[in-house]
Amino acid sequence: MSTLHSKRAAEYQKNPDTVTHHDQTFYNVRAKRDRMAQALPEWEELRDMADRIKRHTISHLDTYLEKFEAAATTNGVHVHWAEDADEYNDIVYSILQQHGVKKVVKSKSMLTEECHLNRSLEEKGIEVIETDLGERILQMMKLAPSHIVMPALHVHKEDIRDCFKAQIAEYDEFRRCFYETQNKPIPEDENDADPTMLTFVARLHLRNQFMTADAGMTGCNFGIAETGDVVVCTNEGNADMSTSIPKLHIVSMGIEKLIPDYKAMGVFQRLLARCGTGQETTVYTSHFRGPKPGGEMHIVLVDNWRSRNIGNREHWQTLKCMRCGACMNTCPVYRRSAGYSYSYFIPGPIGINLGMLNDRLAHSGNVSACSLCMSCDNVCPVKVDLSHQIYLWRQQLDDFNCANPMKKAMSNGMATLFNHPQLYVNTLRLAPLANHVPHSLMHNCLNPWANGHEMMKFPKKSFHTLWKTIKEEK
Amino acid sequence: MAAKENILERLRANIGERFEMPNIAINAIHYDNVVEKFAETCRTVSGADVVMGTPAEEDERGETSTVHGDIGVAENGCIWIPQREADRSFLFRSEHLNIIVKASDIVSNMHEAYARISESEEYFKDYKYGTFISGPSKTADIEGALVYGAQAARSVTVFIE
Ligand code: SF4
C-alpha cells in the first residue's frame, strides 16, 4: 500500500531531467539562504528571538487579537472574523457586493488558496485577477501553485509564451513595444520566449487590470497588534499596485499572523527574505494602517483550523510558521518530488504539518514524504520542529486508522526481534541465507523498498560472531 | 459577532502554557561607515543607481517621479517612504523613481529603522501608509531569470544628500 505522495512522486521520477532541474533550482535558493545566514554574525540570535516572540504571541493570541482589532478599528479599518472558509468567503463576497465590485485584483495569499476564495467568487460572477506574476501565469494556465514563494518555477518559458499568446489579446503589440523600448530589432522568429520580454508583456497586461479593477485584495505577512498595521512583503510591488489604484482594500489574514510591535517586526523583516529567497530584503515592505482618502479598508481574520489546534501539545508550534518556504527548498523529498506530489496545496515539510492540522484524514498520506534528515528544522527561522512533528504524526497514524499495515507488521516484527536478544543473535546467524534469495522474489510489487535499491550482501560471519572469536583467541 | 466570541472562547480554552515576551535586544550588525555601506548595498543588492547629491530638478510626475525617503538602511538598501500626499500610486506607476535620502538619516540595520519609526509622531498621521523600498521592482518567476521592472518602477536612482 503506497501513499498518494509516493505514487505521484514515482510518476514525477519518470522524467529525470525535470527532476534534476527542479532539484537544482531549489537547492540554489537554499544555498543563497545559507550565504545570507553566514553573512550575519547575529543569525542564530535572530532565530532564537523569532522563535521566542512567536511562542509568546501564539500563546497569547486571544489578547493580541483583541488588541489588534482595537488598534485597527481606531485607524478606521473594518475588522471581520470568520470561523471557517465558508464564512470567510461569504464575508468577502458581501463586502464586494456592497461596493458593486465586478473585478478584483489580488496579490498572493495562501489563505485565499486554503479557502478556495477565487472559485467561490467566480461562481458568483466576480472576476478575480491574480497579480503576482507567477500566480497570474498559473491562473491563466489553470494550474495550482507548486511552491508557496516561487509558485510557477516549474513551468517552462515556452509554455508561458504559448499561454500569453493565446490569452493576451495585445500580445504582439506588447512584444513589439518591448523591443522598441530596448532599442533592439524585433526577432524574426515569433516564437522567442525571452523571460525579460515575457515579463514585460505581463507587466503591460497587468497594468490594464489594475486600472480597471474595482477592488484590491492582499494577504498579510505580519499583523502588528499594538498599531494595527498589516505588513505585506513583495518583490514585484503588485500588492502596492493592487491597493493604490482601486478605492477598496480587503486584507485576508490568518489569526496566527500577529506579532506584538515594531520592535518584533525588525526581527522578522530581517529573517523573511533571507530565509525565503536568499535576498537581504524583499523590494517592498509595505505597512497598511488604514484606508486611502475616500477609500475603505477591511481586514478579515480567519480561524478555520487554528484555534482548535492551539491546544495540541505536540503540534501547536506549527502555528509559529511565517511561510518563508525555506523548509521546502532544503527538503530532499520536496526537491525531487515537487509540489504536485503532495495532497495538500502547501507542499514540503510545513505543508505536511499544516495539512495534518487542517484535515488529517485527507492528508495523512503526506507524512511518508520525509526522510527525517531534519534539515528543515535547522533552516526554519522560527524553529518549528518540523521533522519531529512529522515523526509524531507517523506514530499517531494508527489512531485514525491510516497506518500502512505492511510497515506496521514489519515494525512489530522488528520490535519482537530487538526486544529478545537471543532471538536476534540466532536470526543474524541465519542472515547469510538471504544472499540466496532469488532477485525476482525481492524485486516485486510487494516490496517497494527494493525500488532503486539492491539487497545488501550479508557477510558469512556476523559482527557478533567475529567479536566472540577475537575475544576467545586472546 | 458570534464568530469573534467563538474564536476567542476556543483560544482561551485551548491555549496551554503561556510564554513570556522576551526582551528584544539583538547584537546587530553595525557599519562604521554607514553611508558608504548604504551606497554599496543600493548598487549591489537593490540594483539601484546611486548619486551623491541632489537631482538637478524635480521631474514632473509621469515617467519619472521623485520622492523623499526618511530613513536609509545600510544592511539591505531599504528606504522608508511614508505616504505624504493623497495619491500614492505614482510610487508604483512611474517607470523610474528617484529617491532622495539625507546622509544623516542612514542607519545600519532594520532594528534602528523601526525604532526611529516608532519614536516619530509624524508617520501615519495624515495618511495611513508607509513602505520600505529597496531598488526597482523585481521578479524571477519565469524560470528563475531575474528581471527588473516586474510591475512597479523599472529603475531606481538613490540620491544621497
Ligand atoms: S516552517 Fe519555518 S522554514 Fe518552513 S515555511 Fe514556515 S517559517 Fe519557513
Side-chain angles (χ1 to χ4, degrees):
Chain A
M1 191 181 89
S2 23
T3 61
L4 185 67
H5 178 275
S6 62
K7 281 186 199 139
R8 289 190 187 160
E11 204 47 48
Y12 190 68
Q13 302 306 310
K14 288 187 180 154
N15 192 341
D17 292 343
T18 309
V19 177
T20 307
H21 179 73
H22 190 271
D23 180 21
Q24 283 169 353
T25 304
F26 286 98
Y27 194 76
N28 286 341
V29 184
R30 152 77 210 259
K32 275 167 74 186
R33 172 251 167 232
D34 290 351
R35 287 199 288 278
M36 288 295 127
Q38 284 150 13
L40 281 187
E42 67 268 32
W43 185 256
E44 287 305 317
E45 218 184 313
L46 280 171
R47 283 183 73 214
D48 193 52
M49 194 55 76
D51 169 31
R52 287 167 62 202
I53 298 169
K54 279 282 184 181
R55 271 172 196 255
H56 164 76
T57 326
I58 300 290
S59 69
H60 291 80
L61 210 48
D62 48 347
T63 49
Y64 277 120
L65 278 166
E66 287 193 287
K67 206 170 168 183
F68 178 75
E69 183 191 35
T73 310
T74 310
N75 296 339
V77 179
H78 302 273
V79 180
H80 311 259
W81 301 67
E83 285 198 73
D84 56 28
D86 288 341
E87 192 171 4
Y88 160 73
N89 291 338
D90 289 346
I91 291 172
V92 173
Y93 178 66
S94 78
I95 301 170
L96 295 175
Q97 209 184 18
Q98 278 162 27
H99 288 79
V101 172
K102 304 238 157 39
K103 186 197 263 192
V104 183
V105 278
K106 195 170 150 285
S107 76
K108 187 160 63 185
S109 149
M110 285 302 121
L111 184 61
T112 58
E113 297 275 345
E114 179 185 318
C115 298
H116 305 289
L117 176 80
N118 292 13
R119 198 176 61 202
S120 154
L121 292 181
E122 279 158 7
E123 280 168 6
K124 297 185 181 102
I126 292 180
E127 189 184 1
V128 184
I129 306 283
E130 292 288 347
T131 61
D132 171 82
L133 177 57
E135 293 277 341
R136 181 67 185 141
I137 291 167
L138 296 175
Q139 187 183 36
M140 290 170 93
M141 297 178 89
K142 299 200 166 36
L143 292 172
S146 170
H147 188 283
I148 58 172
V149 179
M150 295 154 279
L153 230 46
H154 61 296
V155 183
H156 296 289
K157 57 179 191 267
E158 290 78 13
D159 296 330
I160 297 172
R161 172 205 58 210
D162 293 345
C163 165
F164 282 6
K165 267 188 159 178
Q167 296 189 38
I168 300 178
E170 311 90 336
Y171 179 87
D172 291 331
E173 186 191 328
F174 292 167
R175 174 173 170 270
R176 200 172 339 109
C177 181
F178 169 74
Y179 288 109
E180 279 166 11
T181 53
Q182 302 274 310
N183 289 324
K184 281 186 192 156
I186 301 169
E188 296 211 345
D189 178 10
E190 278 183 16
N191 283 325
D192 58 331
D194 172 24
T196 312
M197 183 273 289
L198 292 171
T199 302
F200 188 86
V201 169
R203 172 187 175 90
L204 297 186
H205 160 71
L206 284 167
R207 289 216 158 194
N208 287 342
Q209 309 300 324
F210 293 125
M211 302 312 293
T212 52
D214 315 296
M217 288 192 69
T218 65
C220 166
N221 291 94
F222 305 99
I224 304 181
E226 192 177 75
T227 54
D229 294 32
V230 167
V231 184
V232 182
C233 306
T234 73
N235 277 324
E236 298 181 7
N238 57 314
D240 298 288
M241 287 288 257
S242 301
T243 51
S244 61
I245 300 169
K247 290 246 177 269
L248 176 64
H249 177 190
I250 305 176
V251 179
S252 309
M253 174 175 173
I255 54 171
E256 83 282 20
K257 293 280 172 173
L258 286 185
I259 56 171
D261 51 23
Y262 269 54
K263 244 184 160 177
M265 187 58 218
V267 174
F268 292 103
Q269 202 281 349
R270 299 187 76 203
L271 285 166
L272 181 66
R274 284 182 169 99
C275 287
T277 50
Q279 299 168 274
E280 280 81 353
T281 179
T282 48
V283 177
Y284 304 92
T285 304
S286 300
H287 290 244
F288 297 92
R289 203 188 266 187
K292 285 195 298 283
E296 251 181 53
M297 180 170 163
H298 295 255
I299 299 174
V300 191
L301 293 164
V302 184
D303 180 355
N304 215 16
W305 45 264
R306 292 155 177 87
S307 67
R308 76 178 140 85
N309 281 297
I310 214 164
N312 187 327
R313 296 271 51 79
E314 285 164 347
H315 296 289
W316 72 275
Q317 294 211 25
T318 298
L319 288 164
K320 294 188 302 185
C321 169
M322 59 174 184
R323 311 282 191 278
C324 73
C327 55
M328 298 171 198
N329 306 339
T330 200
C331 176
V333 181
Y334 170 77
R335 281 191 274 113
R336 291 178 186 80
S337 60
Y340 299 156
S341 295
Y342 300 76
S343 65
Y344 196 54
F345 76 101
I346 299 179
I350 187 59
I352 297 173
N353 284 302
L354 290 170
M356 290 303 277
L357 292 182
N358 191 339
D359 184 346
R360 59 193 64 176
L361 289 180
H363 302 295
S364 66
N366 295 332
V367 301
S368 69
C370 171
S371 64
L372 293 180
C373 75
M374 299 175 90
S375 176
C376 48
D377 299 20
N378 291 314
V379 298
C380 177
V382 288
K383 299 193 179 178
V384 177
D385 50 346
L386 295 146
S387 60
H388 180 66
Q389 292 197 38
I390 295 172
Y391 171 80
L392 290 174
W393 282 123
R394 287 185 186 171
Q395 306 307 303
Q396 292 157 7
L397 282 181
D398 217 13
D399 300 344
F400 32 95
N401 287 325
C402 293
N404 179 326
M406 185 156 46
K407 285 188 193 166
K408 207 176 137 189
M410 288 188 48
S411 312
N412 288 343
M414 282 192 253
T416 316
L417 210 56
F418 294 141
N419 286 330
H420 299 84
Q422 197 48 50
L423 180 62
Y424 177 76
V425 171
N426 289 340
T427 315
L428 263 190
R429 216 172 279 144
L430 298 175
L433 289 179
N435 293 344
H436 307 292
V437 173
H439 191 263
S440 60
L441 207 62
M442 293 307 294
H443 289 252
N444 57 44
C445 58
L446 284 177
N447 185 8
W449 290 277
N451 289 340
H453 296 127
E454 279 306 319
M455 182 73 184
M456 67 175 275
K457 287 269 173 267
F458 284 95
K460 289 214 170 59
K461 283 185 176 171
S462 71
F463 176 77
H464 275 221
T465 327
L466 282 175
W467 182 251
K468 254 190 173 163
T469 336
I470 294 168
K471 253 173 123 180
E472 278 160 12
E473 277 171 6
K474 271 193 184 164
Chain B
M1 286 271 59
K4 174 182 173 184
E5 281 321 312
N6 293 343
I7 293 168
L8 291 176
E9 204 41 61
R10 266 197 305 277
L11 289 173
R12 285 184 205 116
N14 291 342
I15 287 174
E17 186 181 350
R18 295 205 182 230
F19 292 86
E20 288 289 303
M21 177 67 183
N23 174 29
I24 304 179
I26 302 276
N27 194 4
I29 202 150
H30 185 84
Y31 307 99
D32 288 335
N33 192 337
V34 82
V35 177
E36 196 177 294
K37 176 69 191 177
F38 175 71
E40 181 200 317
T41 313
C42 286
R43 284 193 197 98
T44 56
V45 171
S46 320
D49 292 324
V50 178
V51 176
M52 301 304 281
T54 314
E57 58 192 76
E58 302 217 349
D59 297 83
E60 289 291 308
R61 292 282 146 76
E63 288 275 297
T64 299
S65 294
T66 302
V67 65
H68 285 266
D70 282 19
I71 308 166
V73 187
E75 70 162 321
N76 57 13
C78 278
I79 302 172
W80 173 246
I81 302 172
Q83 183 172 356
R84 287 217 169 83
E85 46 198 295
D87 181 11
R88 64 172 182 255
S89 68
F90 75 91
L91 281 174
F92 311 102
R93 275 153 91 156
S94 305
E95 296 286 306
H96 179 85
L97 198 60
N98 289 329
I99 311 178
I100 308 168
V101 204
K102 287 204 192 79
S104 55
D105 285 334
I106 296 171
V107 298
S108 285
N109 57 56
M110 289 304 285
H111 306 295
E112 293 170 43
Y114 274 116
R116 280 205 183 197
I117 298 174
S118 311
E119 282 157 17
S120 163
E121 306 232 316
E122 184 209 349
Y123 302 131
F124 304 107
K125 220 172 56 197
D126 297 329
Y127 301 106
K128 296 181 160 45
Y129 173 89
T131 184
F132 282 102
I133 299 184
S134 171
S137 157
K138 296 179 188 74
T139 185
D141 276 351
I142 301 182
E143 292 201 357
L146 178 64
V147 179
Y148 284 0
Q151 321 230 5
R154 294 169 62 203
S155 53
V156 168
T157 308
V158 176
F159 290 87
I160 305 177
E161 289 189 323

